[in-house]
Amino acid sequence: MSGLLSLIFIALIIWYFLQERKKPTRQINKKWTYVFLVTYAVILIIAAISVELVDSKSFTTQPKAKSNEYLNLLTSAIQNGDIESIDSSNILDKRTQIIGDILLMNAQGYEINSTIIVERKSENDGLIEETLIKPLLLLDDYDFSNQLKYKIPEWTTDSVTFLEPPLTEITYTTYQEAYLLSQFTHTSRQRNNSHHTSERQIAVHLLVPKDLIITADEHLYINYINE
């Protein structure tokens, strides 16, 4: 919209000089200077308001990203196995698996990217308690986590297989910086050219029996708590 206002303003200037050519002399007096500055100022104000309206309505349907403090607390809770402190909205599923003395942890693919946390119980009860935490995808100030594709682990009697997630393609558009405003500030340009991305595939927390023997594929990155 601000671009259209610029064109209108330029057209008014051209029209003014064409009208002045019909007169014997052409002189830019103080009155014209005053009119020029006031008109330009009004257009700048309208452009600024227009850009703010576009900015505020661009992603009305896309959730805003949580604060860095919140995300740091969530990451810390996952890494430390503090599942109870994780909000239920971030929990994808909780499952229980019956297991013998050995667990084989396999990888189907080379780019699993899942965060895997293994924590041992104080007893051997023959059960594995699995908690799946939702994936995370933040682009700039917006949360696209609900659009991130993932694969949950597949279990058999004595093994679990972690699958390579499918690719996720996301296209989104932001407004471009208004030409008029760019003459006075570079704030919007910096935001458009500098994109901040935070991404994490699903996190898997496994609470396993005390003396369970675990054999893991080398392509899996596993964090063993208290070992």
Side-chain angles (χ1 to χ4, degrees):
M1 181 175 179
S2 59
L4 178 60
L5 290 174
S6 298
L7 292 176
I8 294 174
F9 184 62
I10 293 172
L12 287 174
I13 294 176
I14 295 173
W15 175 83
Y16 175 81
F17 281 107
L18 288 176
Q19 293 297 316
E20 286 294 315
R21 284 184 177 181
K22 298 178 181 179
K23 300 179 181 180
T25 59
R26 182 181 61 188
Q27 185 178 13
I28 300 179
N29 53 28
K30 292 182 178 180
K31 181 180 179 180
W32 159 246
T33 303
Y34 175 78
V35 172
F36 177 89
L37 293 177
V38 170
T39 305
Y40 193 66
V42 170
I43 290 179
L44 283 176
I45 293 173
I46 295 174
I49 295 174
S50 301
V51 169
E52 287 301 320
L53 289 175
V54 172
D55 187 30
S56 61
K57 295 180 180 179
S58 295
F59 291 109
T60 52
T61 60
Q62 197 63 43
K64 295 279 286 185
K66 297 292 183 64
S67 66
N68 288 333
E69 180 181 3
Y70 176 87
L71 296 175
N72 290 336
L73 290 174
L74 176 59
T75 300
S76 177
I78 294 174
Q79 294 295 338
N80 295 322
D82 188 10
I83 303 301
E84 298 301 322
S85 69
I86 298 177
D87 190 273
S88 59
S89 63
N90 291 309
I91 302 298
L92 185 64
D93 196 9
K94 289 188 175 184
R95 306 186 294 184
T96 300
Q97 313 292 340
I98 299 175
I99 194 65
D101 297 329
I102 300 175
L103 173 65
L104 303 177
M105 301 178 68
N106 306 314
Q108 189 180 88
Y110 298 100
E111 297 182 5
I112 305 302
N113 298 327
S114 296
T115 300
I116 306 172
I117 310 296
V118 174
E119 183 178 2
R120 293 187 181 276
K121 303 178 183 180
S122 58
E123 58 181 353
N124 292 311
D125 58 359
L127 294 175
I128 294 179
E129 298 174 33
E130 178 190 36
T131 301
L132 304 176
I133 296 102
K134 292 181 179 179
L136 177 72
L137 179 60
L138 305 180
L139 300 176
D140 294 327
D141 298 327
Y142 297 91
D143 190 340
F144 290 85
S145 301
N146 59 349
Q147 299 186 38
L148 188 61
K149 298 178 182 179
Y150 58 86
K151 290 282 189 179
I152 63 175
E154 295 182 351
W155 288 83
T156 61
T157 303
D158 59 355
S159 69
V160 58
T161 300
F162 293 86
L163 309 174
E164 186 172 336
L167 294 177
T168 300
E169 181 178 344
I170 294 177
T171 302
Y172 73 106
T173 303
T174 60
Y175 71 89
Q176 296 297 317
E177 182 180 16
Y179 171 74
L180 291 174
L181 295 183
S182 68
Q183 299 178 51
F184 300 96
T185 176
H186 296 286
T187 302
S188 297
R189 179 181 292 114
Q190 290 174 354
R191 181 167 57 184
N192 283 334
N193 291 342
S194 178
H195 298 286
H196 174 70
T197 304
S198 296
E199 180 182 359
R200 171 180 53 75
Q201 259 295 330
I202 62 169
V204 182
H205 178 270
L206 300 178
L207 189 59
V208 304
K210 177 183 177 181
D211 297 320
L212 180 68
I213 299 172
I214 299 176
T215 302
D217 190 288
E218 61 179 4
H219 294 105
L220 297 177
Y221 299 95
I222 304 172
N223 178 23
Y224 294 91
I225 297 179
N226 300 327
E227 286 193 15

